[in-house]
């Protein structure tokens, strides 16, 4: 994640929600993991919903949502969530960063 195109990130174990690794400024809210799990269970709703997904109290519009990845953005920033066999990899980028570089970093880490 040393691309300088990710503002904060975390790796979270799916089965129990334990944060296995995170950047210092990453704080997971009490409902954020539930929202991510729900988004992967119902990707069509995330894509078609005007609300998209809210993460860390910020609403995002889904650009892509399927059983393995969620890409979402708002006016100024975005998030990428990749689902592996055992973990969720969550990364956020800000307006000064390239979304394509952030996506590539997250997807490679998830392989």
């Amino acid at each position: 994640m040393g691309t300088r195109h990710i503002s904060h990130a975390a790796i979270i174990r799916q089965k129990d929600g334990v944060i296995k690794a995170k950047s210092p400024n990453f704080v997971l809210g009490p409902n954020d993991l539930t929202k991510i799990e729900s988004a992967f269970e119902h990707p069509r709703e995330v894509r078609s919903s005007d609300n998209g997904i809210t993460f860390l109290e910020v609403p995002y519009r889904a650009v892509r949502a399927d059983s393995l990845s969620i890409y979402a953005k708002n006016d100024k920033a975005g998030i990428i969530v990749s689902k592996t066999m055992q973990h969720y990899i969550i990364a956020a980028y800000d307006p000064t960063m390239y979304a394509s570089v952030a996506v590539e970093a997250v997807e490679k880490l998830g392989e």
Side-chain angles (χ1 to χ4, degrees):
M1 297 290 176
T3 66
R4 300 185 193 264
H5 288 276
I6 293 176
S7 56
H8 51 279
I11 299 173
I12 301 169
R13 191 167 50 207
Q14 288 182 39
K15 71 178 180 180
D16 56 12
V18 170
I19 297 174
K20 302 302 286 181
K22 71 178 189 75
S23 57
N25 54 347
F26 186 92
V27 178
L28 192 66
N31 296 320
D32 287 328
L33 184 58
T34 302
K35 291 175 186 177
I36 289 170
E37 291 168 336
S38 178
F40 278 110
E41 290 172 10
H42 309 285
R44 179 175 283 161
E45 290 178 21
V46 173
R47 284 191 312 268
S48 63
S49 171
D50 289 336
N51 299 330
I53 185 170
T54 300
F55 185 72
L56 300 175
E57 302 298 322
V58 177
Y60 295 93
R61 181 182 55 81
V63 176
R64 173 183 170 180
D66 59 36
S67 62
L68 297 175
S69 299
I70 298 169
Y71 305 163
K73 65 180 186 174
N74 64 17
D75 291 338
K76 300 176 183 172
I79 59 168
I80 301 125
V81 185
S82 179
K83 181 178 178 183
T84 70
M85 295 293 282
Q86 297 180 357
H87 297 91
Y88 295 112
I89 302 168
I90 305 166
Y93 60 91
D94 66 39
T96 66
M97 301 171 178
Y98 291 109
S100 60
V101 177
V103 166
E104 184 178 0
V106 171
E107 295 293 347
K108 281 187 178 182
L109 185 59
E111 290 178 346

